[in-house]
Structure formats: C-alpha cells, structure tokens
Amino acid sequence: GEDVEQSLFLSVREGDSSVINCTYTDSSSTYLYWYKQEPGAGLQLLTYIFSNMDMKQDQRLTVLLNKKDKHLSLRIADTQTGDSAIYFCAEDTGGFKTIFGAGTRLFVKA
Amino acid sequence: DVKVTQSSRYLVKRTGEKVFLECVQDMDHENMFWYRQDPGLGLRLIYFSYDVKMKEKGDIPEGYSVSREKKERFSLILESASTNQTSMYLCASSLQSRAVSYEQYFGPGTRLTVT
C-alpha cells in the first residue's frame, strides 16, 4: 500500500547543513512536499517538487528527488536554532489524498 | 493572510462524552480534512470533505463522524469518547483545482485528552 517513511530524529550543530531523508512508495505521485511544524502549531508547507523534477532550490532549502529509488531529501544549509521543528515528507497520491510520513524532529544545537 | 481556526487548543473530556471539534477556514476552499497526529505515527486521515454535505472516509474513521453544513466549517464528532482517542487533532483545507499543487493549510490543532 501507500507509505511514506522517514527517520524520526536528527540532531545538528548550528551553522551545519541538515539533510532529512524520506522514501515513498507510490510511483504515480505528482507532487512531493515538505511541511514544517513548529512547536504548538499546525503544519505549514515549506516547499514542494513536481515529480518530473530532480532538484529544486529555494534560498537555504534544496530538495532532491530520485524517482528511480523513490527517495526525497530536504537539505537545509546553515541550519539555525529557529529551524528546530518537525519536518514531514508527504506525497500526493491523486484525488484528494495526501500521505504524510511520521515526521523527523530536527534539533539544532547552539 | 490565510487562516484555518480550530475551536479549542486544549480539551479534556470524560469517557463516553460526545465531543465536537470545530474548524473554520476563510479561504473559500472546497476541500477540508481532519487528521489525528500521534508520536511516531505522523498524520492519519480521519475524514475529508470535498463539498458542502459531502464526506469521505479516510484511513481511520471508526469512532468518528463529521458534518459540513457550510463551506467554511467542518466539524469532527466523537459520538462516545474513549481513552484511545486521546490525541492531537488537526484540521486542514485546500483548493480543489488541479491547476495548483494540493497545498493544505492547517489549523493550530486541538489536543484532546479523554480520561
């Protein structure tokens, strides 16, 4: 069935790069998303990538998509303490349904 | 500024009580969703609605029902709350058009505790 998997925890030092990885199963996904959830808040869309793209860059964020391996990653350059949050990978399986991963908690050490 | 609001941030109810969670969006979105969020499990879809009075079951609808009488409002109902329904409940909305990505806009969540 449809599934999105990601590691649950990542710890980095301030100023380093963070890389959060995700694997998905539905090869027909049109969009793949990264959402960010800050403490006490709902999810907010951080960035997304079309399935026909390999890479998307947006300021400090780089998204890489490997369709063959069904692997998606989010790289945050120069990670700051304000980047501490839970990051959710998600895929659009068509129709109205979006499948979310369990979320990766990013902890940034000052 | 787009907004999805939920009626309560924190709620404590007793086992067997009927619980209403309300969600309102001001973006004229067609789609609305209810998820529950549990540690290690991520977001699981309970129900969604693609139009007024229309609803579809998600992955975990048992023990829940929904109501959408107006486009901007989507209610989640726990007919008889049980302790295993203690969770964070998130409401979201999105546009229906395929011309844009299915970005979902989330409310801040309601943390429900059933004792």
Side-chain angles (χ1 to χ4, degrees):
Chain A
E2 303 146 341
D3 200 11
V4 175
E5 293 192 354
Q6 51 183 130
S7 54
L8 296 183
F9 185 80
L10 176 66
S11 177
V12 299
R13 291 192 183 279
E14 192 175 22
D16 287 351
S17 291
S18 309
V19 179
I20 303 171
N21 294 302
C22 166
T23 58
Y24 61 97
T25 56
D26 191 338
S27 57
S28 65
S29 293
T30 308
Y31 300 94
L32 293 135
Y33 309 92
W34 285 104
Y35 281 83
K36 178 182 180 182
Q37 185 183 32
E38 295 184 347
L43 279 69
Q44 191 167 17
L45 183 68
L46 198 58
T47 186
Y48 66 90
I49 188 167
F50 293 103
S51 59
N52 62 358
M53 296 170 66
D54 297 324
M55 185 180 91
K56 181 179 179 182
Q57 187 142 8
D58 183 2
Q59 298 181 331
R60 291 190 298 122
L61 305 178
T62 304
V63 179
L64 294 177
L65 175 61
N66 181 328
K67 282 196 75 172
K68 177 175 163 289
D69 295 337
K70 298 195 187 83
H71 183 266
L72 183 73
S73 68
L74 173 70
R75 179 176 179 270
I76 306 172
D78 187 24
T79 313
Q80 303 297 307
T81 54
D83 295 323
S84 292
I86 303 175
Y87 292 82
F88 290 88
C89 172
E91 63 170 337
D92 173 6
T93 61
F96 304 104
K97 219 172 163 189
T98 301
I99 307 293
F100 289 84
T104 299
R105 185 178 294 274
L106 175 64
F107 179 67
V108 182
K109 295 177 281 191
Chain B
D1 196 19
V2 298
K3 225 173 174 105
V4 179
T5 56
Q6 295 183 228
S7 50
S8 306
R9 292 301 302 272
Y10 300 93
L11 213 50
V12 180
K13 295 291 181 180
R14 292 194 182 276
T15 301
E17 277 193 86
K18 191 168 185 175
V19 182
F20 292 88
L21 302 183
E22 301 278 328
C23 175
V24 177
Q25 49 97 3
D26 65 359
M27 296 164 282
D28 202 35
H29 284 171
E30 294 87 356
N31 301 334
M32 295 188 76
F33 307 83
W34 274 107
Y35 295 90
R36 64 177 281 175
Q37 181 182 11
D38 299 290
L41 297 177
L43 271 65
R44 291 181 292 168
L45 182 64
I46 304 171
Y47 268 97
F48 68 94
S49 168
Y50 52 90
D51 202 351
V52 174
K53 297 192 188 295
M54 305 306 290
K55 60 186 179 187
E56 291 286 339
K57 291 180 181 178
D59 299 317
I60 51 164
E62 298 77 20
Y64 303 94
S65 62
V66 290
S67 172
R68 190 149 179 219
E69 296 297 318
K70 292 185 178 182
K71 191 176 185 181
E72 67 270 19
R73 189 178 296 269
F74 192 34
S75 303
L76 180 70
I77 302 147
L78 287 66
E79 294 289 341
S80 177
S82 63
T83 54
N84 64 11
Q85 291 179 309
T86 291
S87 187
M88 171 71 87
Y89 290 87
L90 292 169
C91 174
S93 71
S94 73
L95 281 170
Q96 198 162 87
S97 167
R98 254 299 183 188
V100 295
S101 68
Y102 276 111
E103 176 180 359
Q104 294 188 21
Y105 294 83
F106 284 83
T110 296
R111 187 167 291 283
L112 173 67
T113 302
V114 183
T115 61

